[in-house]
Amino acid sequence: MTTDAEFEAAIAGLQDWVGRERIVEDEIGLSSARRIAGMLDIDPASLKQGDELPPHWFTMFFPDIAKQSDIGPDGHPNKGVFLPPIPLPRRMGAGRRVTIDGALRIGQPAIKRAIVAQVLPKIGRTGRMAILTMRHVIETADQVIAVDEFDAMYREAPPPGQASPQTPPVAAPTNGIYADKVLLSSPLVFRYSSVTWNAHRIHYDADYARDEEGYPATVQNGGLTMQLMLDAALKRAPGRLKGFTARLARPLWVGDTVTLCGAAPADGRMECWATDKDGHLCAKMELEFAA
């Protein structure tokens, strides 16, 4: 691809992927649930067979398990194995929209219907991008318990020796009622990647993150950022979590401390956000609770 028109034509050629569906099964095993609990600093022994799990934990089950020969140089499955072969080398999470109507239960098998919902080209200040939206429908006991629309952003690689472009910093809201600090230690990020079976090298391989993708350090996993934001907010929740929207704005780096903040709940909703060590807004979320 040498022109923007050729890039847009290449993305248009992927539209036959839209609507494709595959099913991922998971037994929701006790050992998996206990590993997740331990990673989140919860006593693993407190979970028993048959227990209902926190409703937002479904995001840490149903991993895509590719053969080792199908893993690409960045640690992700090769393009075309599970996801459309988008002709851009870098992939990061961007945001999600989630509705929740139930919860997983330990030992009760469940499935994820993974559906390609949309592939869109975008040409912006930082270059060519493509946005892939996946719709994940979670079902257990013949009931839909969650629908998760997840956006991933694909981008061009920076020229050798150049830093990856970043979105200009934005000030965080000032109406928070709490500010929980969490160290994004290497073991925490590694354990999250392990329980979600995510081998993306930017999260653990500093040389690769710097030399190949132009980052200053290993990159915090956006899924973990959202998990920590939800956990902090739900300590102050006015009711059962019904859904949430999230948007990742700027990367966080492994080894830094993230501050998790939120506003007071109002009318069944609650805004929360995450800031980096410099106070810049890195992620924002809006939660909705059942009446």
Side-chain angles (χ1 to χ4, degrees):
M1 294 180 299
T2 59
T3 68
D4 290 344
E6 289 173 332
F7 166 66
E8 291 177 334
I11 299 301
L14 299 176
Q15 295 310 303
D16 62 348
W17 278 77
V18 175
R20 292 195 190 187
E21 177 180 329
R22 57 189 168 80
I23 294 177
V24 182
E25 301 174 306
D26 201 313
E27 70 277 13
I28 318 300
L30 177 60
S31 61
S32 295
R34 285 179 168 172
R35 283 193 288 270
I36 292 170
M39 181 264 298
L40 295 174
D41 206 31
I42 299 168
D43 180 9
S46 67
L47 296 182
K48 308 295 183 184
Q49 195 77 6
D51 283 354
E52 185 176 275
L53 294 172
H56 59 297
W57 278 28
F58 75 87
T59 61
M60 295 181 285
F61 290 89
F62 313 101
D64 289 323
I65 304 175
K67 295 184 299 181
Q68 191 63 26
S69 58
D70 284 334
I71 295 295
D74 62 353
H76 277 306
N78 286 319
K79 296 168 183 175
V81 174
F82 297 127
L83 301 177
I86 293 173
L88 293 171
R90 299 175 55 206
R91 176 177 182 264
M92 291 189 73
R96 66 197 329 159
R97 297 158 299 282
V98 177
T99 58
I100 299 175
D101 294 308
L104 297 173
R105 191 173 293 277
I106 299 175
Q108 181 172 287
I111 64 170
K112 175 179 75 176
R113 298 186 183 275
I115 304 160
V116 179
Q118 184 172 258
V119 188
L120 290 178
K122 184 177 180 182
I123 300 173
R125 181 182 57 82
T126 59
R128 297 169 184 162
M129 294 172 281
I131 307 298
L132 169 66
T133 300
M134 294 294 299
R135 180 178 298 115
H136 294 159
V137 181
I138 311 302
E139 300 178 12
T140 186
D142 297 322
Q143 299 290 324
V144 173
I145 63 164
V147 178
D148 178 3
E149 286 199 347
F150 182 88
D151 299 325
M153 179 183 296
Y154 291 74
R155 299 174 61 184
E156 297 175 299
Q162 291 192 20
S164 177
Q166 293 185 35
T167 303
V170 174
T174 58
N175 60 329
I177 62 168
Y178 64 90
D180 296 350
K181 294 184 180 296
V182 176
L183 174 64
L184 301 174
S185 67
S186 294
L188 172 62
V189 179
F190 173 82
R191 293 178 92 189
Y192 180 83
S193 293
S194 297
V195 299
T196 56
W197 202 243
N198 182 339
H200 195 182
R201 289 170 66 185
I202 64 171
H203 302 311
Y204 60 87
D205 186 336
D207 290 339
Y208 174 86
R210 285 191 300 263
D211 299 341
E212 299 296 327
E213 301 217 10
Y215 295 114
T218 45
V219 184
Q220 153 72 343
N221 191 307
L224 176 57
T225 299
M226 288 186 268
Q227 177 70 40
L228 296 173
M229 292 171 69
L230 285 165
D231 288 345
L234 292 176
K235 294 176 184 177
R236 292 91 176 176
R240 180 183 65 82
L241 182 64
K242 185 178 177 181
F244 63 91
T245 61
R247 178 61 53 186
L248 300 175
R250 284 174 63 84
L252 289 154
W253 313 113
V254 177
D256 284 352
T257 295
V258 63
T259 303
L260 311 167
C261 307
D267 300 322
R269 294 181 178 273
M270 181 178 181
E271 287 191 350
C272 57
W273 55 93
T275 66
D276 63 16
K277 62 182 180 180
D278 298 315
H280 298 146
L281 181 69
C282 292
K284 198 169 184 179
M285 187 177 286
E286 182 175 285
L287 283 61
E288 182 179 2
F289 301 96

